[in-house]
Amino acid sequence: MSLAEARRLLVEDPFLLLGVQLLDEADPTDEQVARRFGLDDEDLDWFGRPDESPRAEFLGDFAGFVVPVVIDDRIAYVHALAGERFVLAAHWGQDVLASGFTAQLCRERPRDAVATLFLLLQEGLATFRRATVRALLQVEELEDDMFEDRRPEQIYLLSQLRRRAALLHHSLLPYLQAVDDVVARRMTSSDFPAERQRLAQEFVRSARLVRTDIESLQDAARRALASYSSLIAGEQNGVINRLAIVSVIFLPLSFLTGFFGMNFTFLTDKLETRDEFWLLAVGLQIIALVAAIYVLHRTRIWRRLRDD
């Protein structure tokens, strides 16, 4: 659809939904997107501007939103502008809401532009919900797998999922705060219709559920990382127990070996027969070995190693 045709439809049609695909790199000398559609409000200079932060505000006859949506593993932003007779949505690259939003339109059949706007906002939340559920299932699968067979790549995957949860939370939280502020102000207004209040309440309720899901994902990722650390700590404890057993056995033997390897008068002049050598050099080591094994058997180290 050409720009002239879009402007004509905005003037003539009683209700219109327009989707605008923007270039990835906008020329700063280009005219603002809102002005190109015949909307000369100075407060709309943010509409269609790249790298715009999430927002939600009412501007007299218009309601403007910058809606974060999840596409695969990245966050994109849809700029939505709604009046009494139209909804204008601008996005970059592929149509991020095409399939889900079109299906919702066919099922819900909104009566006016405001209902269509809330439907678009709900679809933006749905992308976060789907991404959160998908990541949560991956965390649970990894947690089950690492208890059966711990592998080094699992910690990398868990770190990625934890980072994804942080990205979802960091992208959605400012948007929800802006929407909550705007909706709270409009809900107290006497000229806000009851039907629109219902739509706003449903959106706020859905937003809180999505936020709770993301926080659950963060908790699950932290719990899985803590479980992985516990498994490593358990394996390290087993290694330390083995080293302790070896130390208890060989330290007395090393001491006896070092003691009888010294060249002092008693050893060189008094211990002359073979029987004395076997009795002191070998017999003491056997006694020390038996004593070390007895001590280990009476302590928790041996039982813990046996249990492992």
Side-chain angles (χ1 to χ4, degrees):
M1 180 185 301
S2 65
L3 181 59
E5 182 68 13
R7 294 183 63 172
R8 184 186 64 80
L9 291 175
L10 281 175
V11 175
E12 296 177 359
D13 281 16
F15 169 64
L16 183 65
L17 172 64
L18 287 178
V20 181
Q21 183 174 350
L22 302 175
L23 297 177
D24 292 335
E25 295 182 359
D27 187 352
T29 61
D30 288 346
E31 187 180 7
Q32 296 174 359
V33 176
R35 294 183 183 275
R36 295 170 66 183
F37 281 91
L39 304 174
D40 296 330
D41 196 324
E42 295 181 356
D43 294 330
L44 298 178
D45 57 347
W46 56 267
F47 185 78
R49 186 167 58 194
D51 301 327
E52 184 66 25
S53 59
R55 71 166 60 219
E57 56 187 15
F58 281 93
L59 306 169
D61 296 333
F62 303 109
F65 294 83
V66 178
V67 186
V69 295
V70 182
I71 308 176
D72 298 329
D73 293 332
R74 66 183 182 89
I75 304 296
Y77 292 90
V78 176
H79 292 204
L81 189 63
E84 291 294 332
R85 297 186 301 103
F86 69 90
V87 175
L88 182 61
H91 57 86
W92 289 262
Q94 60 182 1
D95 194 350
V96 296
L97 298 175
S99 58
F101 186 52
T102 303
Q104 287 287 343
L105 282 176
C106 296
R107 287 194 299 265
E108 299 292 337
R109 297 184 181 275
R111 295 182 300 176
D112 54 17
V114 175
T116 304
L117 173 65
F118 276 104
L119 199 61
L120 187 148
L121 300 181
Q122 289 279 12
E123 180 59 26
L125 288 178
T127 63
F128 278 86
R129 184 182 299 110
R130 289 192 290 267
T132 302
V133 171
R134 184 167 58 251
L136 185 58
L137 292 176
Q138 292 176 357
V139 170
E140 292 177 350
E141 291 175 358
L142 281 172
E143 191 171 12
D144 292 338
D145 291 341
M146 70 185 181
F147 279 105
E148 296 178 0
D149 181 20
R150 187 183 64 82
R151 299 184 303 275
E153 61 269 17
Q154 291 169 343
I155 189 66
Y156 174 72
L157 294 175
L158 285 174
S159 300
Q160 281 189 323
L161 290 171
R162 183 177 180 179
R163 183 178 180 184
R164 186 180 305 173
L167 176 63
L168 293 175
H169 187 265
H170 179 75
S171 302
L172 187 63
L173 186 59
Y175 168 67
L176 294 185
Q177 289 177 342
V179 173
D180 285 342
D181 292 341
V182 171
V183 170
R185 290 197 302 268
R186 294 297 295 174
M187 291 286 287
T188 58
S189 177
S190 58
D191 59 348
F192 199 53
E195 177 63 21
R196 297 183 181 180
Q197 289 185 12
R198 183 186 64 82
L199 293 174
Q201 290 173 350
E202 289 180 357
F203 174 79
V204 171
R205 187 160 48 249
S206 299
R208 290 174 180 172
L209 291 176
V210 173
R211 181 177 177 178
T212 302
D213 290 340
I214 294 177
E215 291 174 350
S216 299
L217 173 60
Q218 290 179 310
D219 293 338
R222 284 193 289 264
R223 184 182 64 248
L225 288 171
S227 299
Y228 190 92
S229 300
S230 298
L231 290 175
I232 295 178
E235 294 177 359
Q236 291 176 345
N237 288 336
V239 173
I240 293 173
N241 288 338
R242 293 179 179 89
L243 292 176
I245 291 175
V246 172
S247 299
V248 170
I249 292 175
F250 284 96
L251 279 177
L253 300 180
S254 300
F255 170 76
L256 291 175
T257 302
F259 178 79
F260 284 100
M262 298 179 183
N263 295 322
F264 51 87
T265 304
F266 178 79
L267 289 177
T268 57
D269 296 341
K270 301 297 183 181
L271 300 181
E272 298 178 351
T273 66
R274 180 178 300 177
D275 294 338
E276 292 175 342
F277 170 77
W278 284 107
L279 178 63
L280 295 177
V282 179
L284 286 177
Q285 296 200 23
I286 293 175
I287 293 173
L289 182 61
V290 173
I293 294 177
Y294 176 77
V295 171
L296 288 174
H297 183 71
R298 299 291 296 178
T299 59
R300 297 180 180 179
I301 298 177
W302 184 272
R303 292 195 295 270
R304 188 179 303 171
L305 181 63
R306 183 182 58 191
D307 294 339
D308 291 340

